[in-house]
Amino acid sequence: MRDTPDRRSDGQLVHAAKDGDFGAFGELVRRHQRDAIRIAAIALGSSTGADDTAQEAFIKAHRSLHRFREDAPFRPWLFRIVTNTARNRLRHEGRQSNLRTRVAVLATSDPASPEEIAGHLADRDELVAAINRLEVADRLILAYRWYHQMTEAEIAEAMGCRRGTAKSRLSRAMNRLRLELEES
């Protein structure tokens, strides 16, 4: 195992992985695994099964590398695969449940301090409850924007739509969240 991080860009790693360098793909997994698990948890509505879903998505991504456009960003492409894998899993298992945002976020985030968490706990609980009442598509787009700080272009790539569509969906999701917060 390597002690120093691989400094190649995602694009360089994808190119190397396409040429059969399994270590390069391993580095892509290492870089994006945590975010992939978080996206899977959000799409599934629970952290249960998120690890397996993310792992399955990485396998699908590896098998599909030949179709990846090297001029495109890797992360949105991967997140789209993670989201689709999670949706397929939900369909297959026949379950639709509320997202347990707090579990997904807290299980995969590194809070600044216990004091910061305590100071925002009441507001966070209210926000989490409001987010949990939203549809899966709204929860996902908000997660892409807030938790992963993705640009509108990256969100569009992850969702498989045009940038303007992603922008309007994000705006509608924010409006629905605002209404949920006002009603609570």
Side-chain angles (χ1 to χ4, degrees), residues 66-142:
H66 65 279
R67 292 188 303 206
F68 178 72
R69 288 185 356 255
E70 289 185 36
D71 63 328
F74 178 76
R75 195 169 76 146
W77 180 75
L78 173 65
F79 286 178
R80 185 174 184 185
I81 293 171
V82 172
T83 301
N84 289 339
T85 302
R87 285 180 177 159
N88 290 341
R89 185 180 198 133
L90 284 173
R91 238 186 327 266
H92 178 70
E93 295 175 3
R95 58 186 169 115
Q96 295 290 329
S97 64
N98 286 331
L99 170 68
R100 306 227 189 308
T101 305
R102 181 190 306 173
V103 174
V105 172
L106 292 178
T108 59
S109 65
D110 297 319
S113 71
E115 293 81 18
E116 183 180 331
I117 292 173
H120 299 288
L121 197 54
D123 291 339
R124 177 178 260 183
D125 287 346
E126 185 177 330
L127 179 61
V128 166
I131 291 172
N132 282 338
R133 291 189 297 267
L134 296 175
E135 295 293 322
V136 173
D138 289 343
R139 295 187 306 233
L140 277 171
I141 198 165
L142 292 173

Side-chain angles (χ1 to χ4, degrees), residues 10-11 14 25 28 32 58 61 65 68 72-79:
D10 284 354
V14 167
F25 192 77
L28 287 167
H32 299 287
F58 276 113
L65 274 179
F68 178 72
F74 178 76
R75 195 169 76 146
W77 180 75
L78 173 65
F79 286 178

Side-chain angles (χ1 to χ4, degrees), residues 21-37:
D21 182 349
F22 288 108
F25 192 77
E27 177 64 18
L28 287 167
V29 171
R30 187 196 64 72
R31 284 183 187 177
H32 299 287
Q33 184 172 27
R34 191 174 190 173
D35 289 339
I37 292 170

Side-chain angles (χ1 to χ4, degrees), residues 1-60:
M1 199 171 244
R2 196 179 9 216
D3 290 338
T4 59
D6 193 322
R7 297 190 186 272
R8 292 180 286 180
S9 70
D10 284 354
Q12 291 169 323
L13 290 169
V14 167
H15 183 75
K18 282 182 173 184
D19 287 341
D21 182 349
F22 288 108
F25 192 77
E27 177 64 18
L28 287 167
V29 171
R30 187 196 64 72
R31 284 183 187 177
H32 299 287
Q33 184 172 27
R34 191 174 190 173
D35 289 339
I37 292 170
R38 185 179 291 153
I39 290 296
I42 290 166
L44 292 170
S46 167
S47 61
T48 304
D51 289 336
D52 292 340
T53 301
Q55 183 177 8
E56 184 180 342
F58 276 113
I59 292 168
K60 288 178 179 180

